[in-house]
Amino acid sequence: MKAVLCKEYGPIAALAVEDIEPETMQPGHVRIAVEACGVNFPDTLIVKGKYQFRPPPPFSPGGEVAGRVVEVADDVHAVKTGQRVMAVMIFGGYREEVVVPATNVIPLAATMDSTTAAGFMVTYGTSIHALVQRGRLEQGETLLVLGAAGGVGLAAVELGKALGAHVIAAASSNEKLAIAHEHGADEGINYRTEDLAARVKELTRKNGADVIYDPVGGAATTEALRSIAWRGRLLVVGFASGEIPAIPANRLLLKGCEASGVFWGNFIQREPDENRRNVERLFSMHASGVLKPLISETFPLADASVALNRLERREAIGKLVLLTQAAD
Ligand SMILES: NC(=O)c1ccc[n+]([C@@H]2O[C@H](COP(=O)([O-])OP(=O)(O)OC[C@H]3O[C@@H](n4cnc5c(N)ncnc54)[C@H](OP(=O)(O)O)[C@@H]3O)[C@@H](O)[C@H]2O)c1
């Protein structure tokens, strides 16, 4: 089977595409013939050895896949051969076939195709956990989303709207803001050309943003925090800018506000029941048309590095998905 391999930590260009032997089956596991793999920003970090997890090379990047179950271990009863599923993992997804714990596998509704499924769980799972469990977003509150046309950002825009918030999208181009508007944003701020904090205050009649969803980090975090409302919640989701900001504690004091970390990967391990409820809610919102995941581009598995470069160069909009031969 074909696999995208990171043979040593380094640049994305060094990724290899090779034929490798199928993995051996293990108790409690399921083998999936992969049709589609979601591409996420953490995939760009893991190949460079800059992610929280540093798997020993060689390994495949890739945190989510969708496809069909082709084999189940004898002790697995919840998943059946032939079933259409999605699966989440920390790495290992950019392959024609994966062997994953049955507990990581989620059966797919007939209403969701594999391409959509492969790009769904990481972004919407992270964003619903951020907004509901960490941000306690209330109907009628103002939500500011940074990087609003990126993977997790666009999911946060849609979910924020679905939860009844007034959504302000912030992004680096008018093209990206137009996409955020199409997905439900009420207002847009181009933080390359406009003063982010001043515009948020203007749009909220000086109240500020109740919840700030921040997957960008760096200067954008400090700038956004200047516009937080009294008792606001800053959601620390990621650092796509490459810079981990130092959060000024005086601002937390002055605004009676809080900064909350969001780590979806740990949440699903530590709070599986709460996560299951989130997943059911997401599937139901998708089936009823409330969520409209944007897969802006697909690539053959062999072009994984092209897709990863798009993310690195800040060019990706919504989600990018890799397709295998099985998707044809
Ligand atoms: N906490 C969690 O559990 C969790 C889960 C998934 C992902 N994440 C993190 O969330 C962040 C976004 O992930 P994603 O998959 O949504 O990525 P993405 O699709 O590439 O979106 C990232 C956005 O960040 C903005 N950005 C600002 N500076 C950038 C730079 N130098 N390079 C690239 N993008 C830059 C871009 O928007 P503008 O051009 O509009 O600024 C871009 O759309 C990453 O840091 C990722 O590690 C966290």
Side-chain angles (χ1 to χ4, degrees), residues 219-239:
T221 307
T222 332
E223 186 58 23
L225 197 54
R226 289 178 49 224
S227 74
I228 200 162
W230 173 249
R231 286 204 184 218
R233 285 84 75 199
L234 169 70
L235 303 175
V236 180
V237 178
F239 314 108

Side-chain angles (χ1 to χ4, degrees), residues 14-234:
L15 286 173
V17 183
E18 291 186 4
D19 271 309
I20 59 167
E21 289 299 313
E23 279 175 79
T24 48
M25 195 58 180
Q26 298 176 48
H29 281 59
V30 167
R31 188 186 304 278
I32 300 170
V34 173
E35 292 168 14
C37 323
V39 179
N40 292 289
F41 200 86
D43 305 345
T44 67
L45 301 176
I46 207 164
V47 303
K48 290 186 269 186
K50 291 186 176 170
Y51 195 54
Q52 291 101 315
F53 301 98
R54 288 171 52 91
F59 67 91
S60 298
E64 55 184 341
V65 299
R68 202 170 281 279
V69 175
V70 289
E71 187 184 353
V72 298
D74 292 341
D75 57 345
V76 171
H77 307 293
V79 184
K80 302 270 174 275
T81 303
Q83 214 170 358
R84 292 180 62 245
V85 295
M86 59 166 71
V88 290
M89 57 208 80
I90 298 165
F91 62 92
Y94 292 4
R95 297 183 166 203
E96 288 181 328
E97 210 177 81
V98 295
V99 174
V100 291
T103 45
N104 293 23
V105 172
I106 306 168
L108 281 185
T111 44
M112 193 181 279
D113 61 67
S114 297
T115 308
T116 304
F120 189 75
M121 201 40 76
V122 172
T123 47
Y124 286 96
T126 298
S127 294
I128 195 169
H129 169 51
L131 297 179
V132 175
Q133 282 89 33
R134 307 302 289 135
R136 308 181 306 279
L137 182 67
E138 296 280 346
Q139 199 161 5
E141 285 193 316
T142 297
L143 168 69
L144 170 64
V145 180
L146 309 184
V152 295
L154 201 56
V157 166
E158 286 194 343
L159 284 165
K161 201 65 204 155
L163 294 168
H166 185 77
V167 179
I168 303 177
S172 64
S173 75
N174 292 343
E175 185 204 356
K176 288 185 174 184
L177 289 175
I179 299 283
H181 281 301
E182 279 170 29
H183 286 259
D186 299 288
E187 321 273 2
I189 302 174
N190 181 334
Y191 48 35
R192 213 168 232 165
T193 58
E194 297 179 271
D195 179 329
L196 178 65
R199 281 290 289 137
V200 171
K201 284 190 190 145
E202 215 171 274
L203 292 170
T204 57
R205 297 202 189 100
K206 298 208 175 130
N207 183 60
D210 299 298
V211 176
I212 299 175
Y213 183 97
D214 178 14
V216 174
T221 307
T222 332
E223 186 58 23
L225 197 54
R226 289 178 49 224
S227 74
I228 200 162
W230 173 249
R231 286 204 184 218
R233 285 84 75 199
L234 169 70

